[in-house]
Amino acid sequence: MSSILALLRRLRPDNFTLALLLTVAIASILPSSGRVAMAFGGVTTVAIGALFFLHGAKLPREAIIAGLTHWRLHLLVLCCTFVLFPLLGLLMRPLALAVLTPELYLGILFLCMLPSTVQSSIAFTAMGRGNVPAAVCSASASNFLGIFLTPLLVSALVVQGSAAKSSLDAVLSIVLQLLVPFIAGQLMRPWIGQWVDRHKPALKYVDQGSILLVVYTAFSEAVNEGLWHKIGAPALFALAVVCCLLLAVVLLATAWLSRRFGFSAEDEVTIVFCGSKKSLASGVPMAKVLFATSSLGMIILPLMLFHQIQLMVCAVLAQRFARRIGEEAP
């Protein structure tokens, strides 16, 4: 009985997920429009800049330098993130379009092009007794390279999607809204890095608040466009099934590839958790930059659902990895 209760506690949504659900509910009941929506849009743009400034300020250069020597692991994680995932997204097209609307499939394809998470990848790697320094380097590199690779992948693979902005506009927007603040934060780290490290628990609310703002504005626009008239309970269930299938295939693939290439058990944990994750923190702001406002709600909905599923599944996997490595240790 106690083991069942422990499992249920691990599967319980975290506070941020509950905040996301509440934000969607508020946007569904009280969507912003007109001048209020324009004001929210301006505040959201500033918040996204602050989010990526803090990402740059929190990234320690020592971790990057220390992890660069493990290049085979990092290369495999990047290939899983930016090659395997997009290929799976394309291969799933017939199945996805059979049960999902084209807009929701576009959201599935978009999440496949996003970088890995940082905080949860490192946290689950540590929980599973994996190679934490390598996880720090891989997750950070994935997020930095994603600023360039995600818009390029969207331009190449979603070129027919009417919701996608032009590639030149997308790259310029990414550079101005995401990359410039990120580099500014990294350059300022020698002066503000210690302060940022000391206040990480408080600064996480800036991260989460930025995402909640984007979600509110996106879903407000989507509700005004009739989102919930287009999506019912069957569509949400089908979307959850597709997300579960995608995650299951990637988890199996990352585990098999890590063993196939002879990585240690600790490195396997790192590869599985860094190579199977998709970042909500980076994905929501990128979606705002890359796609038309009217389509944002439908596009980020698969990402929000996938985010919660990956957290619940990886919480269970981390415990299994920890027990396995503990049993194998001399």
Side-chain angles (χ1 to χ4, degrees), residues 166-191:
S166 72
S167 58
L168 180 59
D169 289 343
V171 171
L172 289 176
S173 296
I174 287 287
V175 168
L176 291 175
Q177 294 187 40
L178 308 185
L179 182 60
V180 170
F182 182 91
I183 293 176
Q186 182 64 197
L187 292 175
M188 290 292 292
R189 181 169 172 79
W191 293 277

Side-chain angles (χ1 to χ4, degrees), residues 200-248:
K200 277 185 179 180
L203 291 175
K204 74 176 182 180
Y205 295 111
V206 177
D207 293 8
Q208 296 177 355
S210 302
I211 297 170
L212 293 176
L213 274 172
V214 177
V215 169
Y216 175 74
T217 55
F219 271 86
S220 292
E221 180 68 24
V223 168
N224 291 331
E225 295 287 332
L227 171 66
W228 300 123
H229 294 291
K230 302 176 184 177
I231 301 178
L236 287 175
F237 177 76
L239 180 61
V241 171
V242 171
C243 288
C244 288
L245 178 61
L246 177 63
L247 180 61

Side-chain angles (χ1 to χ4, degrees), residues 87-104:
L87 285 176
L88 289 174
L90 292 173
L91 290 173
M92 291 181 69
R93 177 184 173 88
L95 171 64
L97 289 178
V99 295
L100 302 177
T101 64
E103 292 84 1
L104 288 177

